[in-house]
């Protein structure tokens, strides 16, 4: 594991093509080490979530090159290795299970280590259905969050300032109805990443969030199936 973190730390301080080209062997070794972790996670998630279906490594992982066309930050390389395991793959729009190893703990996303369960962007029709489900479900959504691993926290970034139009304010679900990101997050520390049981520990947290995933993907599937009719 130190092989991955050490390379990413060096890359963080030398994020340019000249340095990267001179350290291709180190990159390939670190990438291979992370590939092993990713494959174990894909197989492990499929054991408790059959909705995932067959996925290749390419369906779930990312290139290290950054898309800098519309970014002020012109650093050419990402300083993390990530895997996102979702039905039909990373580009499907479905909720899934995300894990990445970054530079070190204590760093903000995307440089730091990160574990996420859910969806960072719901299509508008799916978002409307999801909010309707939450609104009509009483404590159901809250119970899903509370039943997940206690280290997970709800991502409230980009939440609306007010309950959206069409929903009554002053209910127990006000905070949830304002969400635009539906994701449970955890920022692993150094000890977590270096633990020999890393893969199993990640899978245990993922498994605790499966009911949360099912709830969100139900709304996404319904919105898409309804569009086809």
């Amino acid at each position: 594991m130190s092989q991955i973190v050490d390379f990413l730390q060096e890359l963080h301080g030398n994020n340019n093509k000249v340095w990267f080209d001179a350290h291709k062997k180190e990159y390939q070794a670190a990438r291979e080490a992370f590939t092993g972790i990713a494959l174990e996670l894909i197989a492990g998630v499929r054991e408790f979530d059959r909705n995932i279906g067959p996925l290749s490594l390419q369906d779930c992982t990312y290139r290290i090159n950054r898309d800098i066309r519309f970014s002020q930050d012109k650093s050419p390389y990402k300083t993390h290795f990530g895997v996102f395991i979702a039905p039909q793959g990373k580009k499907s729009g479905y909720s899934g299970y995300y894990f990445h190893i970054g530079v070190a703990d204590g760093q903000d996303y995307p440089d730091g280590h990160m574990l996420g369960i859910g969806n960072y962007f719901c299509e508008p029709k799916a978002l409307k259905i999801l909010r309707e489900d939450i609104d009509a479900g009483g404590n159901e959504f809250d119970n899903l969050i509370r039943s997940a691993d206690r280290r997970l926290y709800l991502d409230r970034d980009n939440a609306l300032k007010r309950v959206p139009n069409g929903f009554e304010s002053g209910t127990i679900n006000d905070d949830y109805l304002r969400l635009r990101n539906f994701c449970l997050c955890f920022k692993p520390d150094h000890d977590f990443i270096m633990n020999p049981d890393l893969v199993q520990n990640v899978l245990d947290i993922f498994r605790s969030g499966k009911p949360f995933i099912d709830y969100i993907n139900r709304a996404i599937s319904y919105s898409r199936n309804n569009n086809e009719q």
Side-chain angles (χ1 to χ4, degrees):
M1 197 60 58
S2 59
Q3 184 179 42
I4 300 172
V5 174
D6 289 348
F7 170 77
L8 292 172
Q9 287 177 331
E10 287 292 322
L11 177 59
H12 186 264
N14 301 275
N15 201 329
N16 61 79
K17 189 176 186 304
V18 173
W19 183 91
F20 189 86
D21 287 346
H23 294 80
K24 275 287 182 65
K25 289 184 178 179
E26 290 93 330
Y27 162 67
Q28 291 168 350
R31 181 72 184 182
E32 183 176 348
F34 184 79
T35 292
I37 294 171
L39 289 171
E40 287 188 65
L41 290 175
I42 294 168
V45 168
R46 285 195 65 202
E47 289 186 2
F48 65 81
D49 190 343
R50 290 298 180 180
N51 294 320
I52 293 302
L55 294 172
S56 69
L57 184 68
Q58 289 73 26
D59 291 329
C60 304
T61 54
Y62 304 85
R63 298 171 67 246
I64 197 167
N65 301 79
R66 295 180 63 246
D67 184 353
I68 61 176
R69 291 174 298 172
F70 308 108
S71 175
Q72 291 183 346
D73 179 4
K74 298 303 180 182
S75 302
Y77 306 107
K78 300 169 187 172
T79 53
H80 62 272
F81 291 122
V83 55
F84 182 55
I85 306 163
Q88 301 176 30
K90 62 192 178 189
K91 297 181 180 180
S92 68
Y94 281 102
S95 296
Y97 310 85
Y98 179 75
F99 175 67
H100 87 219
I101 295 176
V103 176
D105 56 303
Q107 298 284 334
D108 291 332
Y109 178 87
D111 290 330
H113 312 310
M114 176 57 69
L115 184 154
I117 300 171
N119 194 310
Y120 267 99
F121 174 78
C122 280
E123 298 162 351
K125 290 185 178 180
L127 182 57
K128 183 176 184 296
I129 292 169
L130 185 54
R131 284 171 172 159
E132 290 172 349
D133 288 346
I134 293 171
D135 188 47
N139 289 320
E140 183 181 6
F141 190 70
D142 183 72
N143 289 337
L144 287 176
I145 295 172
R146 294 181 184 277
S147 67
D149 190 285
R150 292 185 179 182
R151 288 169 289 187
L152 292 165
Y153 63 89
L154 185 64
D155 176 22
R156 299 180 184 275
D157 289 347
N158 302 317
L160 299 173
K161 294 183 178 180
R162 299 177 182 176
V163 172
N165 292 335
F167 296 93
E168 182 180 353
S169 62
T171 72
I172 58 174
N173 289 311
D174 274 18
D175 286 346
Y176 300 141
L177 293 174
R178 294 190 297 107
L179 294 174
R180 285 191 282 193
N181 302 337
F182 285 85
C183 191
L184 299 175
C185 301
F186 166 55
K187 295 181 180 179
D189 60 16
H190 180 78
D191 291 340
F192 185 96
I193 295 297
M194 295 298 170
N195 192 309
D197 296 323
L198 171 66
V199 170
Q200 187 57 55
N201 291 338
V202 172
L203 288 172
D204 288 343
I205 299 176
F206 279 171
R207 185 182 293 105
S208 78
K210 181 181 181 295
F212 182 81
I213 291 286
D214 290 342
Y215 189 95
I216 299 171
N217 281 342
R218 180 182 66 184
I220 295 172
S221 293
Y222 182 85
S223 71
R224 293 180 177 184
N225 292 335
N226 198 42
N227 283 340
E228 294 174 358
Q229 296 176 358

